[in-house]
Amino acid sequence: MKKLNVCVLFGGVSPEHDVSLRSAESVLRNMDPEKYDIYPVGITKEGKWILYRSTDYSKLPGGAWEQDSNNRPAMISPVRGEGLLGFDGDTIARQSIDVVFPVLHGENGEDGAMQGLLQLAGIPYVGPHISASAVAMDKTLTKLVADKAGVTQAAWQLVRREDLELRLEQMLDLLESRFPYPMFVKPSGTGSSVGVSKAASREALAAALQSAAVYDNKVLVEEFIRGREVEVAVMGNGNPMASVCGEIDSGADFYDYDAKYVTDTSTAYIPARIDADVEERVREAAVKVYQAIGCQGLSRVDFFVTYEDNRVVFNEINTLPGFTSISMYPKLFEASGIPYGQLIDELLRLAVEAAR
């Protein structure tokens, strides 16, 4: 059987650049070279594209890969049929690509921008297409779709950066009239909990809004939901499947960036510590959100399950979730009987199937 030419994109101009490097290291280590000819392409924080011609993937976290002497400038051409272009002086080498795995998180990778380039190029790619990526990346748009689909979620309020610049005190009054403390404050368009804060006072709320507005001109403020943090991995095109549920105990005030990637305070429970009927409701809601947004390939859908009455409350969806060695998406499918390497095979197959 002919090998597939697979381009793995990583890095990116995004606050989640470093997380992407760690995800890509795991993906590349688990791709079977007997099945795939692999072309790793890294995007630096400055936006330079580099064909990484080494198999020493340990260099990715930390950024040492950028200095490898075998590297060559590269790009994916938007012209159909040209594929991956590598540059060596005045020479251009063209390499056909069968499928792209964009192991890119957040801005410029998960928001429809990269998906648009790949769509123009006519190259199949892992994950949801342009519109679903864009909607899922913008948490306020996600909320509107979930509302329309009848999915239970936390009450929320959109705040714009100009509101903070022109009428901060009025916005604080509005938010305090809507929600009791604590409140959660999030940039509308980041993942990995970048820029997310939990505010327990007016002073903290003002600081949290200003902090979130650094990352996005739209800021989402949500009521606090007291419950377990439960995550579900979803995979598929027309007939998606949901994994077993997992639960995160952050061991901190909430599951922020540090709890996810820096400290070792968090604990994952797979399966989640919820009753079977509650788990089934969570899995059904995950597929409902996935389909309402129009996802294909993969996504991770996150919920709260309230302590008092086991209400299932939608939190957010991630269309290109973390793939590090400790990330929930691959762990959840491993617990569902699909190990990491097989998971990659299936995601690449789904990408090709969707393009057809």
Side-chain angles (χ1 to χ4, degrees), residues 73-85:
M75 63 175 286
I76 290 176
S77 172
V79 179
R80 293 198 170 213
E82 289 205 336
L84 177 65
L85 305 183

Side-chain angles (χ1 to χ4, degrees), residues 139 143 154-159 175 179-188 193-201 204-209 212 218-227 229 250 252-257 260 304 315-316:
K139 295 180 178 64
K143 292 284 189 183
W156 58 283
Q157 177 69 47
L158 168 62
V159 178
L175 293 169
F179 311 121
Y181 288 108
M183 304 177 206
F184 273 98
V185 181
K186 308 174 179 179
S188 186
S193 296
V194 171
V196 177
S197 302
K198 182 180 178 182
S201 68
L205 178 59
L209 290 168
K218 295 167 69 176
V219 176
L220 181 69
V221 181
E222 293 179 311
E223 68 169 330
F224 172 65
I225 301 294
R226 186 175 178 276
E229 297 191 43
S250 67
D253 196 30
F254 69 98
Y255 197 38
D256 61 4
Y257 184 94
K260 288 179 178 178
F304 299 108
N315 182 19
E316 60 186 42

